[in-house]
Amino acid sequence: MRESFSQHIAWTSDHPIGLTVERAEGPYLYLDDGRKIIDLISGIAVSSIGHRHPRVIEAIENQIQRHLHVMVYGEFVQDPQVRFATRLAATLPQELQVIYFTMTGTEANEGALKLAKKFTGRSKLIAFENSYHGDTHGSLSVTGRSVYRQPFEPLLPNVEFLPFNDPDALATIDDQTACVITEPIQGEGGVRVPDREWLKALRKQCDQTGSLLIFDEVQTGFGRTGSLFAFQHFDVIPDILTLAKAMGGGMPLGAFVSRAEIMDVFRRDPPLSHVTTFGGHPVSCAAADAALNVIQDENLVERALQIEEKLRNRLDHPAVAEIRGMGCLLGMELNDAASTRAVVSRCLENGVLLGWTLHSDSLVRIAPPLNIPFPVLEEAADTIVEALDSAANG
Ligand code: PMP
């Protein structure tokens, strides 16, 4: 298996984690060598209700008895899509009621950028340093780390990057600006929470210049940060919201969400201005409907905050410079890259999978399932503390 993995699966680094997963259930990954690993990264913020939640499995089984793909997005009335869209819309403000389904997060952002350009008739795009919005050309063009962009340039023209959380930079947003895209809390950029006043000022500047505000909640959505969507923490409503990752309950599904006045521009001049074959796959939508139901029924949004409190208390340690983030999206900043690597690998040896972020080598990302049982969380925290002790003692 290992040999075929290296021969036939394209690698994106020279050192993939390379665990061979036999099965996954709840907070656990079960490996082919018999080991059981506590998953504190959730497939990177995907398995927010744990792996293979029984209600998601049941919804998938029911849907596959009915139909798989039948038609490109938006042409047929597919009840799994409509049911889930209705449930999702009920959780969102009146400005965000029309949902365009995609497969992935980057596609959601691609759609959002095109939508903003077409609605405003403008082409200037504004994004922020250290942002991450995906790896297709459009999303990469607004990703704020030049080391990832440079090898693929030229990318989209007319993109400007501003420092994140800096009120003085907002004047760059002007009446040529189609949209401003930001994560309300930067994930890959190192789990960075901006000031509420800054996001409010950003909203105001967009309103004053007629620019659309896009919030990329691909990572922060569906309860991860301790509110169903992170924008609710800040009381700032975007014009377009993008979603993916946890939305599908483990199945691939993304979306961009806006209001009818905006979304309608895809209907005409020309008709079919933005189409996708697999967006809103019926099996993914059935899974997503069940997953959102679980988040609501099991009060997982509140639970994310309880988990945050427990982790912050347990990880108050001399080897930890800072813990950033909200709810179950936490970044534990260590003093240097070497001790970060040592902590992550010792935890894995001892049965706990932690994460990294794309833009920072001294940050450990902790993103447990929101329904991780507390004793399992305690056990994982013990393992992390032991690894921190060992890093502190050299
Ligand atoms: N936006 C954000 C904020 C993300 O964290 C990610 C993935 N890490 C993406 C977009 C891209 O999503 P996908 O990998 O599904 O294309």
Side-chain angles (χ1 to χ4, degrees):
M1 183 71 82
R2 185 77 207 184
E3 200 174 301
S4 301
F5 174 67
S6 68
Q7 272 173 11
H8 299 301
I9 298 297
W11 287 13
T12 56
S13 85
D14 284 332
H15 306 286
I17 309 174
L19 303 177
T20 307
V21 177
E22 278 287 319
R23 66 191 177 85
E25 199 84 48
Y28 294 115
L29 303 169
Y30 296 86
L31 307 186
D32 66 334
D33 59 9
R35 283 193 297 153
K36 181 167 113 175
I37 306 280
I38 302 174
D39 185 357
L40 279 205
I41 187 67
S42 304
I44 311 207
V46 170
S47 329
S48 288
I49 58 169
H51 295 278
R52 295 187 76 252
H53 194 288
R55 285 167 68 182
V56 170
I57 299 299
E58 187 189 357
I60 291 172
E61 282 172 350
N62 287 341
Q63 183 54 37
I64 61 180
Q65 297 306 326
R66 297 182 58 213
H67 64 85
L68 303 179
H69 174 85
V70 284
M71 180 42 86
V72 297
Y73 169 82
E75 288 297 310
F76 284 5
V77 181
Q78 299 188 42
D79 80 61
Q81 280 179 354
V82 177
R83 248 185 300 127
F84 174 53
T86 307
R87 186 188 299 282
L88 178 59
T91 70
L92 290 167
Q94 62 181 16
E95 294 87 343
L96 298 168
Q97 288 291 302
V98 184
I99 298 156
Y100 190 118
F101 287 118
T102 65
M103 288 273 287
T104 62
T106 196
E107 267 182 279
N109 288 329
E110 295 285 341
L113 295 172
K114 281 180 68 184
L115 183 62
K117 288 170 83 172
K118 193 156 190 298
F119 179 74
T120 59
R122 307 172 182 176
S123 64
K124 179 168 151 186
L125 309 175
I126 300 231
F128 293 94
E129 289 164 9
N130 287 324
S131 60
Y132 181 78
H133 298 294
D135 273 344
T136 52
H137 273 83
S139 302
L140 182 61
S141 300
V142 292
T143 284
R145 192 80 192 283
S146 59
V147 65
Y148 293 106
R149 286 198 316 274
Q150 260 161 11
F152 306 101
E153 287 175 345
L155 291 166
L156 282 181
N158 226 350
V159 179
E160 281 189 49
F161 292 97
L162 309 182
F164 188 65
N165 203 24
D166 176 356
D168 295 338
L170 297 179
T172 310
I173 301 163
D174 60 15
D175 61 8
Q176 307 294 306
T177 307
C179 62
V180 180
I181 182 167
T182 189
E183 300 147 89
I185 297 173
Q186 285 190 338
E188 303 300 329
V191 189
R192 299 202 176 265
V193 182
D195 298 329
R196 183 189 168 103
E197 289 318 308
W198 179 73
L199 276 178
K200 285 192 176 291
L202 173 60
R203 174 72 270 180
K204 196 166 164 205
Q205 185 71 8
C206 287
D207 288 341
Q208 282 171 353
T209 56
S211 314
L212 298 189
L213 179 59
I214 303 173
F215 277 175
D216 174 345
E217 293 227 32
V218 166
Q219 188 159 158
T220 53
F222 295 94
R224 176 132 307 269
T225 69
S227 60
L228 193 55
F229 301 100
F231 74 79
Q232 294 161 328
H233 287 299
F234 303 98
D235 197 23
V236 173
I237 298 172
D239 298 294
I240 308 175
L241 174 70
T242 66
L243 302 167
K245 285 194 182 273
M247 181 161 66
M251 294 293 284
L253 187 65
F256 54 102
V257 184
S258 191
R259 52 185 183 269
E261 177 204 3
I262 297 176
M263 203 64 99
D264 281 359
V265 301
F266 280 160
R267 292 185 181 198
R268 48 193 85 94
D269 306 322
L272 307 177
S273 283
H274 189 72
V275 293
T276 167
T277 299
F278 281 129
H281 192 284
V283 179
S284 298
C285 285
D289 192 47
L292 181 52
N293 209 339
V294 167
I295 291 171
Q296 292 169 327
D297 281 2
E298 298 183 9
N299 297 320
L300 296 187
V301 175
E302 292 76 28
R303 214 161 176 288
L305 295 172
Q306 294 165 1
I307 292 171
E308 174 183 4
E309 198 188 330
K310 285 179 190 294
L311 282 173
R312 281 186 183 273
N313 287 338
R314 288 303 310 284
L315 301 178
D316 184 8
H317 188 283
V320 177
E322 187 188 6
I323 294 186
R324 295 195 291 271
M326 293 176 105
C328 284
L329 181 59
L330 295 177
M332 181 170 77
E333 184 85 51
L334 303 187
N335 291 323
D336 56 77
S339 53
T340 307
R341 271 197 304 276
V343 166
V344 171
S345 67
R346 191 170 177 96
C347 283
L348 185 54
E349 275 164 33
N350 293 329
V352 173
L353 181 64
L354 300 174
W356 66 99
T357 66
L358 280 175
H359 299 346
S360 170
D361 57 10
S362 57
L363 192 86
V364 179
R365 176 167 33 189
I366 304 178
L370 315 187
N371 60 353
I372 186 171
F374 288 142
V376 179
L377 184 70
E378 286 294 323
E379 188 187 333
D382 288 345
T383 303
I384 300 172
V385 169
E386 191 275 336
L388 291 169
D389 288 343
S390 130
N393 298 330

